[in-house]
Amino acid sequence: MKKHNYSAGPCILPQEVFEKAAQAVLNFKDSGLSILEISHRSADFVSVMEEARALALELLGLEGKGYQALFLQGGASLEFLRIPQNLMHENGKAAYLDTGTWANGAIKEARAFGETIVVASSNDANYTFIPKDYSIPSDANYFHCTSNNTIFGTQMKSFPKTSIPVVCDMSSDIFSRSLDFSKFDLIYAGAQKNMGPAGTTLVVIKEELLGKTSRNIPNILNYQQHIAKESMYNTPPVFAVYTSLLTLQWLKAKGGIAAIEKENETKAALLYAEIDRNPLFKGAANKEDRSSMNATFLLVDENHKEAFDKIWKALGVTGINGHRSVGGYRASMYNALPLESVQVLVNAMQELEKNI
């Protein structure tokens, strides 16, 4: 039976990426060696890293604009502390928008480095909306936000204008929609949502931002060191980087971000239309802030849970159980999820309605 994978991450990737990555595990570039055993200093892998970094900038429209792309380790969670360490001045401060679990985690790490101002939060409403109309202090060293909140199913549809550097955690919606990425000074994203397997994090940073903190930054945490060593300060996660490259190549072949955005909009519209139409379901997030990547929804009557779970499992749907913070269901519709899979989930919702 075909599986329809809605896992929030690690998550679905394109089938052709799985096939090419699997072949590389057995025999990388007809070398007779596996991608898992070649030297990261070999010409074959150096070319992988160079292409991955260049292609990330190309797809984001940031080529030749003073940005560097890095593939690092430690997940987005390590960037929570690496960002203030590299960007917050000694005796400085930073501004944060609190829109969910991961935004809150970033705030906690930043507080270890200096004054951390929360400009707005939707915590009191269990993060069901994106705060708006807040003020960002002009003397902060940077403003940090999270573009998409995987757990709660909300997404920033616009970003504030400010004179200070803007940092954005795009872990769960990078490469999914068209934005003017030059408005951001630092973007970071764990690969395991829209880009590749767990194990590497993409960091895209405007190089002029660095070297201004007066801090003594350990080399392994210093962005300048990673830029100087071209993402090879230490041994990189070769398989995760290679699979990310394959995914970026797949995206480019499809027509880039603009093309995948249209597909994502169609998928999200189909599912949300059913959530709003079907009297047995309701959305968890405010409509104006709903995520096109992670749709969170609930049964109006939890007594129908057993029946609904039986239906969607029988149809091959997997990974839609909601996070414990929200409950209900979460359908993660990342780039590689086909429209067909969304229709199957909609069919399951309609079948429940017929059976009640």
Side-chain angles (χ1 to χ4, degrees):
M1 176 189 293
K2 176 179 173 60
K3 293 292 186 180
H4 304 280
N5 184 9
Y6 284 92
S7 175
C11 66
I12 188 171
L13 292 174
Q15 184 62 33
E16 68 181 69
V17 169
F18 288 135
E19 292 171 359
K20 290 178 180 179
Q23 179 57 42
V25 170
L26 299 174
N27 184 4
F28 179 58
K29 291 188 174 181
D30 294 322
S31 65
L33 297 172
S34 169
I35 183 70
L36 302 179
E37 65 179 332
I38 65 167
S39 168
H40 66 289
R41 300 292 183 188
S42 66
D44 279 344
F45 184 75
V46 169
S47 69
V48 166
M49 181 64 85
E50 289 176 346
E51 184 180 354
R53 295 175 65 209
L55 189 49
L57 293 178
E58 177 186 338
L59 289 168
L60 295 171
L62 296 177
E63 284 182 300
K65 295 184 178 181
Y67 288 81
Q68 292 282 347
L70 301 170
F71 283 90
L72 305 177
Q73 298 171 68
S77 295
L78 183 58
E79 303 315 311
F80 293 169
L81 67 89
R82 185 147 41 194
I83 286 163
Q85 193 161 39
N86 281 263
L87 302 186
M88 191 189 296
H89 298 186
E90 287 195 324
N91 301 314
K93 62 183 176 183
Y96 279 71
L97 180 63
D98 179 21
T99 54
T101 299
W102 305 116
N104 189 261
I107 291 165
K108 289 177 181 177
E109 296 290 357
R111 284 175 173 153
F113 295 91
E115 184 180 358
T116 303
I117 300 166
V118 178
V119 297
S121 175
S122 52
N123 183 28
D124 288 348
N126 201 32
Y127 296 120
T128 53
F129 71 95
I130 300 293
K132 303 168 187 70
D133 300 323
Y134 47 85
S135 298
I136 300 172
S138 60
D139 59 343
N141 300 131
Y142 63 89
F143 167 71
H144 179 285
C145 59
T146 304
S147 58
N148 187 79
N149 299 283
T150 318
I151 291 174
F152 298 95
T154 60
Q155 186 176 42
M156 295 181 71
K157 305 303 181 181
S158 62
F159 296 85
K161 294 180 179 179
T162 177
S163 60
I164 65 174
V166 176
V167 175
C168 190
D169 178 356
M170 294 189 180
S171 288
S172 52
D173 67 348
I174 196 168
F175 300 117
S176 72
R177 56 174 171 159
S178 300
L179 296 170
D180 181 355
F181 294 99
S182 68
K183 300 294 185 183
F184 302 93
D185 298 88
L186 190 154
I187 297 165
Y188 65 104
Q192 68 275 11
K193 309 289 187 181
N194 260 338
M195 191 169 56
T200 192
T201 304
L202 174 66
V203 176
V204 177
I205 186 168
K206 187 178 288 185
E207 198 165 2
E208 68 180 23
L209 210 60
L210 301 173
K212 300 177 181 179
T213 69
S214 301
R215 292 183 186 276
N216 181 18
I217 305 172
N219 286 338
I220 192 65
L221 297 175
N222 192 328
Y223 287 132
Q224 289 181 308
Q225 288 291 331
H226 289 288
I227 290 170
K229 298 296 183 181
E230 300 178 324
S231 287
M232 293 200 194
Y233 176 80
N234 58 334
T235 305
V238 294
F239 185 71
V241 173
Y242 178 65
T243 309
S244 295
L245 170 61
L246 294 177
T247 308
L248 295 176
Q249 290 172 337
W250 168 84
L251 179 57
K252 182 179 179 179
K254 285 183 71 69
I257 293 176
I260 205 68
E261 180 180 34
K262 293 180 181 179
E263 294 185 16
N264 290 333
E265 288 176 345
T266 300
K267 291 184 294 187
L270 176 61
L271 182 55
Y272 282 123
E274 181 61 23
I275 291 170
D276 292 338
R277 183 208 65 80
N278 195 317
L280 302 181
F281 297 92
K282 61 181 179 180
N286 282 17
K287 286 187 178 181
E288 65 179 358
D289 299 319
R290 283 174 168 174
S291 168
S292 60
M293 294 283 96
N294 311 99
T296 52
F297 59 101
L298 309 164
L299 283 162
V300 173
D301 185 346
E302 280 295 312
N303 290 322
H304 297 146
K305 177 173 173 53
E306 183 177 353
F308 183 52
D309 290 355
K310 184 177 180 180
I311 292 169
W312 58 259
K313 288 176 182 177
L315 292 174
V317 172
T318 182
I320 67 165
N321 285 317
H323 191 274
R324 61 185 177 276
S325 302
V326 179
Y329 301 92
R330 172 176 55 176
S332 296
M333 299 175 287
Y334 298 125
N335 286 354
L337 185 79
L339 181 62
E340 170 199 354
S341 292
V342 180
Q343 186 62 60
V344 169
L345 179 55
V346 167
N347 292 346
M349 297 166 75
Q350 293 175 349
E351 185 174 339
L352 178 68
E353 183 184 17
K354 292 176 184 176
N355 293 344
I356 297 302

